[in-house]
Amino acid sequence: MSVHDLTEVQLERQQLALLAMIGTQQAADPDGQWPMWDWVEHRAKSFGIADPRGVLDSLPRIGASGSVGLSYGFTTAVPRLLREDIRITLTVAAAWALDEARYVLGEPFLQVLHHMIALWQNAPRSPNEVTQVSLTSEDLQLAFPQMEPGIIRLVPGSFFNEPFMSGSYGKAPDGSWRMDVPRHVMFYEHATDLRGYVSETCRQVHRVLQQADRDFTGGEPAPVPSPDAVLHLNASRVALLMWLWHQKQQRGPGEPMPNVMDVLLDDGLSVDQGVRFTEGEIDRASEYLEHHGLIKGGGTLDQMAGPVLAEITPIGEDCVEGYSGDVSAYIRRRDNGPVTFHIATNNGNIAANSTGVTQNAAAQAAFDPAQILAVVRLIRQLTPALTPEAGEQQALLAQTSELQTAAEAPAPDRVAVRRITDGVLSTIRSFTHSPDVQRLALEAVEQGIQNP
């Protein structure tokens, strides 16, 4: 079963059971050996899996579907070539799918991976020699004294089973080892969790196979349609914004921002007018969306114009949910266009740039601290989109904190609140990064705080 990203598939019960059976046996083995297929097949049948080989064959894989060519799946086994004496090995992708494998396989792998990244980054370079970096079991134990020796003993094998980590290594009779640190570890500089690692591996497999196709055809790509340039440009922005909206719905608390280039793995969003977007087009879309405050970046690379790691902002969510992701229409909207602010706990009445909304007369006449606090929360949400300068962001956030303190006082001082509000307005007016977001922020403050 061929897919684009192993983190996006939902494994069936028998598939999970087969993987768990393999992983549990390896964890219980005194030497950490993976079980042979003969044992796995017999064991699986005893637990009611009538066709273990068929279940193994049904596990999703990235890349080449035959017995030859680069691919990546939840195991290293190729069912068509499977013999009874072949040992069935799980990959790190299986640790993403199985909670039982995260402790013994996934988490240690990530710790070692980022240790290797640091070694590669900090290794001395010579203009006359190719850089060689290596890691030993002794060095790893010193770096991670809490890591169990049994897990450290299995590190080289875990890396050898990954498509871009299989550098050479050697083991001594006492179990100690030395392994090369491959330069490909730098693919994973921003992969801070299992999902990020597995997704990046899938993306790199696709990249290598696409390059192989180009090499096979002598660098002459097959003829492709010529899309309308303007429509294609806008479509790339819409695709990235919609994809980031979906990613936000799926991400759990504390998970890192997604890599914007992973939108290219989504066939439903990465193709327009019969042509797949290029990395350059997605980069320019990322830059455009960040400039207009629809996304915010969490990491960049020198050669990219826009953020490589990003997430959608409340303004971007408004574009998706109110304008079906039509970025151009959202940017061109006029003062009579509806705008929705997403404020989780707003008990006040804020209707910036909205039609069909009537401010409560009593709230306008009365001093309402809850409404002021709602405005404070909104401005804090908008701050990253208002200005990319850290100093300017801190200045505005300091003013909003001052306004919050004034509003939360037992007996709020109307004059002080008005003075601080005027300061907030003055600061927002001084920003020039995103005029559209600036206008929304000013309207929110002016309409949300009714002359206290």
Side-chain angles (χ1 to χ4, degrees):
M1 175 182 175
S2 179
V3 295
H4 284 279
D5 189 333
L6 294 177
T7 67
E8 296 176 356
V9 300
Q10 185 70 40
L11 295 182
E12 298 176 355
R13 181 182 60 82
Q14 287 196 343
Q15 292 173 328
L16 287 170
L18 188 68
L19 295 178
M21 188 182 305
I22 296 168
T24 301
Q25 175 57 30
Q26 186 268 347
D29 189 272
D31 298 320
Q33 289 198 88
W34 295 97
M36 291 183 177
W37 175 246
D38 178 68
W39 180 90
V40 173
E41 187 173 35
H42 182 270
R43 186 77 166 174
K45 288 182 177 179
S46 70
F47 278 96
I49 300 178
D51 182 15
R53 190 179 294 262
V55 173
L56 184 69
D57 198 19
S58 71
L59 287 169
R61 293 193 76 82
I62 299 293
S65 58
S67 58
V68 178
L70 179 64
S71 67
Y72 186 54
F74 295 101
T75 79
T76 59
V78 179
R80 293 185 184 88
L81 304 179
L82 198 57
R83 302 191 313 271
E84 286 73 12
D85 60 345
I86 287 181
R87 295 191 179 276
I88 304 298
T89 303
L90 301 186
T91 66
V92 174
W96 158 254
L98 290 173
D99 288 338
E100 306 95 301
R102 294 197 178 192
Y103 172 72
V104 295
L105 178 58
E107 293 177 6
F109 181 91
L110 280 177
Q111 287 181 297
V112 178
L113 173 64
H114 283 278
H115 181 66
M116 292 166 69
I117 290 172
L119 290 177
W120 182 264
Q121 289 175 322
N122 298 323
R125 260 66 178 181
S126 168
N128 303 312
E129 295 179 357
V130 175
T131 302
Q132 300 288 341
V133 183
S134 62
L135 175 66
T136 68
S137 53
E138 292 83 357
D139 293 338
L140 189 61
Q141 187 72 75
L142 288 174
F144 298 100
Q146 77 284 2
M147 190 175 291
E148 296 178 9
I151 291 179
I152 290 180
R153 187 174 66 250
L154 301 176
V155 163
S158 299
F159 276 78
F160 187 79
N161 294 326
E162 300 300 304
F164 300 101
M165 298 287 104
S166 55
S168 62
Y169 69 92
K171 279 191 174 184
D174 62 357
S176 61
W177 49 260
R178 172 183 294 272
M179 62 183 290
D180 292 339
V181 176
R183 62 180 63 247
H184 289 154
V185 294
M186 297 310 299
F187 287 162
Y188 302 98
E189 184 177 5
H190 298 294
T192 57
D193 62 2
L194 282 175
R195 181 173 188 166
Y197 170 82
V198 175
S199 288
E200 182 62 26
T201 299
C202 294
R203 193 167 78 89
Q204 292 298 333
V205 169
H206 286 300
R207 179 187 62 81
V208 171
L209 292 176
Q210 288 169 358
Q211 182 61 50
D213 286 341
R214 288 193 290 269
D215 293 343
F216 181 76
T217 58
E220 295 294 333
V224 295
S226 297
D228 180 283
V230 175
L231 294 178
H232 196 63
L233 178 68
N234 190 54
S236 67
R237 298 165 180 170
V238 174
L240 180 56
L241 188 67
M242 294 292 291
W243 185 78
L244 287 173
W245 184 90
H246 286 291
Q247 294 302 305
K248 186 168 185 177
Q249 314 314 308
Q250 298 171 8
R251 285 170 60 207
E255 290 190 25
M257 294 181 180
N259 187 318
V260 298
M261 293 303 165
D262 285 348
V263 68
L264 297 174
L265 303 179
D266 188 325
D267 283 340
L269 290 173
S270 63
V271 177
D272 170 63
Q273 302 173 65
V275 177
R276 190 177 295 274
F277 298 120
T278 66
E279 290 192 357
E281 288 169 337
I282 295 301
D283 180 32
R284 289 189 290 274
S286 176
E287 179 189 29
Y288 181 88
L289 294 176
E290 183 187 43
H291 176 74
H292 286 279
L294 300 172
I295 68 174
K296 65 178 180 180
T300 59
L301 294 176
D302 291 340
Q303 67 269 30
M304 297 184 69
V308 64
L309 302 179
E311 66 180 4
I312 194 169
T313 64
I315 299 223
E317 291 181 278
D318 182 50
C319 177
V320 170
E321 296 163 10
Y323 287 77
S324 299
D326 190 333
V327 176
S328 294
Y330 185 78
I331 300 276
R332 291 194 308 265
R333 70 199 184 287
R334 295 295 182 252
D335 289 341
N336 61 352
V339 174
T340 303
F341 289 108
H342 300 278
I343 303 177
T345 56
N346 175 28
N347 296 317
N349 296 285
I350 297 178
N353 192 29
S354 295
T355 59
V357 178
T358 302
Q359 295 283 352
N360 183 283
Q364 292 183 10
F367 182 86
D368 188 353
Q371 186 164 305
I372 296 173
L373 294 177
V375 172
V376 167
R377 288 192 293 272
L378 176 61
I379 297 304
R380 286 173 177 167
Q381 289 178 345
L382 296 180
T383 295
L386 283 166
T387 173
E389 299 296 331
E392 293 179 345
Q393 290 182 11
Q394 291 301 319
L396 180 57
L397 292 174
Q399 288 178 311
T400 60
S401 296
E402 187 179 2
L403 182 58
Q404 178 180 346
T405 300
E408 290 177 338
D413 185 331
R414 292 171 180 266
V415 175
V417 170
R418 184 71 261 176
R419 174 182 56 79
I420 300 169
T421 300
D422 289 342
V424 171
L425 290 169
S426 178
T427 298
I428 294 174
R429 290 190 185 102
S430 70
F431 297 151
T432 60
H433 177 68
S434 182
D436 292 312
V437 182
Q438 179 192 51
R439 179 171 59 80
L440 292 175
L442 290 172
E443 290 177 352
V445 176
E446 290 168 348
Q447 295 184 28
I449 301 178
Q450 299 291 330
N451 297 316

